[in-house]
Every structure is written in C-alpha cells, then in structure tokens.
Amino acid sequence: MAAAGERLILAFDFGTRRIGVAVGNELIHSARELEPLPARDGIPDWAQVTRLVEEWRPDLFVVGLPINMDGSESEMSTRARKFGKRLYGRYGKPCELVDERGSTREAKAIAREQGHRGNYREDGIDGLAAVLILEGWFAGREGLPGGRHSHT
C-alpha cells in the first residue's frame, strides 16, 4: 500500500447507463480518462471492473457523489454510495466520495469548447467527468476550493 501523497487512484463518475473512469497519481496530481464502463441500471460488468483493478492496482477509489445543488441527497447519490461500498467490499481498497456538483455541467462545457456536438448519448463525457471528480479530490487534499469529500 502506497503512502498517502503517493497513491494511485481510480475515480468513477457513476451513471445508470455508463460509469466514467479516470486514473490519477496523487504525487503529481495527474488525471486521465479511461474507457467508460457500460452499466445496466447502474450495475457494471464486475469482470471489467476487476480487469481495471488488476491492470492499475489502485490504492484508493474515488466516487463522485451527485448531490443536489441545495446540498440534499438524491436517489443517484444513494446509488453512487452503494457503488462505492461495493467497490470497497469487492476489492478491499478504501473508497472516498467526493461532492461532484457541477462536474457534468463543467465536462459538457469543456467538451463543447473541444468541438463536441452535444450528442452525449452516443459520444459520452463520462471519462472527462471522472477526471474532474478526481481533480476536485486533489484540490480538496490541498485545501483548495472545490474539494469537498467524505469517507464511506
């Protein structure tokens, strides 16, 4: 297990049809998107998740928590929490939840600037949203604005 500050992290943007994935290195605050995981009603193919875990050997999982703008929990945040608990239960790695309010909107704005035509169903931005979740987590570790997280 790597020491805090040097961990490899897998971050997830939970969704019912697709789950965005990003990988990051805590030491150099790098985050890059990976191929999103297809999901059926929020349930991924756990064999694919296992392959990701075996390939990257993360020390920590970070899951975006889709909280309502007023700070209240939603059905999606409950489901994202459950996904985080399943990650922990299956792989025994710590999982932190990070408030991801606005990350999807921000991902869409970045995608539009890069020429995205708005067909998010075919051309998803889930990986980019996962990168933003991980960058928000890094910011929280540094005490910068935008970093709000909690432990499961």
Side-chain angles (χ1 to χ4, degrees):
M1 177 78 178
E6 301 175 3
R7 294 172 292 188
L8 189 76
I9 300 151
L10 274 180
F12 297 90
D13 175 41
F14 179 79
T16 54
R17 283 193 310 272
R18 264 194 307 257
I19 298 170
V21 186
V23 64
N25 181 310
E26 193 178 20
L27 187 62
I28 57 174
H29 286 203
S30 69
R32 70 181 178 93
E33 64 182 280
L34 301 175
E35 196 66 33
L37 298 164
R40 290 177 68 121
D41 196 27
I43 300 166
D45 174 349
W46 286 103
Q48 279 186 288
V49 180
T50 298
R51 281 196 293 276
L52 269 176
V53 171
E54 286 173 352
E55 179 182 355
W56 293 101
R57 304 200 175 285
D59 301 297
L60 174 74
F61 298 118
V62 170
V63 175
L65 195 59
I67 293 174
N68 295 321
M69 290 316 269
D70 67 2
S72 63
E73 296 259 340
S74 65
E75 184 201 339
M76 281 299 278
S77 61
T78 302
R79 295 179 73 175
R81 276 185 196 281
K82 188 188 262 184
F83 175 70
K85 283 186 169 68
R86 287 196 175 134
L87 284 170
Y88 172 74
R90 280 175 179 264
Y91 306 107
K93 306 282 183 189
C95 181
E96 292 191 17
L97 301 168
V98 62
D99 180 343
E100 59 145 286
R101 272 181 282 190
S103 66
T104 299
R105 205 169 47 244
E106 191 181 343
K108 285 181 177 176
I110 291 168
R112 273 195 305 276
E113 284 170 18
Q114 295 172 349
H116 198 289
R117 291 188 292 284
N119 53 335
Y120 299 111
R121 195 169 263 216
E122 292 89 53
D123 186 9
I125 52 161
D126 315 88
L128 181 55
V131 166
L132 294 172
I133 287 164
L134 188 48
E135 287 176 348
W137 185 85
F138 287 144
R141 306 297 287 185
E142 295 291 308
L144 299 170
R148 303 171 295 265
H149 63 280
S150 65
H151 301 265
T152 54

